[in-house]
Amino acid sequence: MYRTRNATDVEIPLMADHWYRMACEMCEIDDMPKPDIHRIEEVKSLFIRESEAGQLMFRVALDESDQIAACAGGLLRTEYPYPLAKEQSLFGWVISVYTLENHRHNGLASTLTDEVCVWLKQNGAKRARLWSSSTGRSVYEKNGFKPMMDMTKPLL
């Protein structure tokens, strides 16, 4: 059985490690260049800074041994909702959704994503966005996410 909670300040750097694993898997699935491991310290600093500013929050799922089995983050951003929009608005980004391989297919990504969306809404976001690998899209579509404008084409 799993339980979920907010990540602690001490665990925020670990979330960057999970982000890197997630990014590597996404790139492998969709045949994109692997992220630069040397930038992980930059991501850790970003996560710490945004968390301290109250703009970033992570939820984690713990296994029976109280070890982190999965995570998902929520990041608040003010940005234009589409090109040439008149005004910026507050968006919530769901980021760094990652489940360790031996804990997959237990609904952890869906549960954590839902919990992150609650936090985003409580903090004023009217819409949540995320980037997904092609294989992860069905999970997010079941959670109410809809495909938007972003499409890709490899130029070989």
Side-chain angles (χ1 to χ4, degrees):
M1 188 52 133
Y2 298 93
R3 66 181 179 91
T4 63
R5 63 164 170 79
N6 287 353
T8 65
D9 291 343
V10 173
E11 293 167 334
I12 295 296
L14 176 62
M15 301 300 101
D17 293 327
H18 285 207
W19 170 85
Y20 180 75
R21 290 179 184 190
M22 176 224 43
C24 288
E25 286 184 24
M26 284 177 68
C27 290
E28 187 176 310
I29 289 166
D30 291 327
D31 195 29
M32 295 171 49
K34 190 174 179 179
D36 183 357
I37 185 69
H38 298 100
R39 293 198 60 211
I40 199 154
E41 291 304 316
E42 188 179 326
V43 172
K44 286 179 185 179
S45 294
L46 172 72
F47 283 3
I48 290 167
R49 188 171 57 252
E50 294 294 333
S51 177
E52 289 173 349
Q55 299 294 103
L56 174 67
M57 180 276 306
F58 276 94
R59 295 288 294 172
V60 294
L62 304 174
D63 65 14
E64 326 61 61
S65 304
D66 279 341
Q67 298 299 306
I68 295 175
C71 66
L75 178 65
L76 295 165
R77 281 286 177 261
T78 302
E79 55 191 49
Y80 291 101
Y82 55 89
L84 302 179
K86 189 173 182 176
E87 295 179 10
Q88 292 186 342
S89 60
L90 186 63
F91 274 87
W93 279 94
V94 177
I95 66 167
S96 192
V97 179
Y98 186 74
T99 303
L100 296 175
E101 198 167 344
N102 57 326
H103 296 282
R104 293 182 182 168
H105 308 292
N106 288 301
L108 298 177
S110 293
T111 297
L112 294 173
T113 299
D114 285 343
E115 292 175 0
V116 164
C117 286
V118 167
W119 180 84
L120 292 169
K121 183 177 179 182
Q122 289 171 342
N123 284 275
K126 302 285 186 225
R127 180 179 303 271
R129 300 171 78 177
L130 59 77
W131 287 331
S132 172
S133 69
S134 55
T135 57
R137 288 185 182 268
S138 63
V139 172
Y140 299 113
E141 286 173 353
K142 289 176 188 170
N143 278 23
F145 285 84
K146 307 230 180 300
M148 285 185 58
M149 298 177 273
D150 191 51
M151 297 177 74
T152 186
K153 175 183 177 180
L155 302 174
L156 305 174

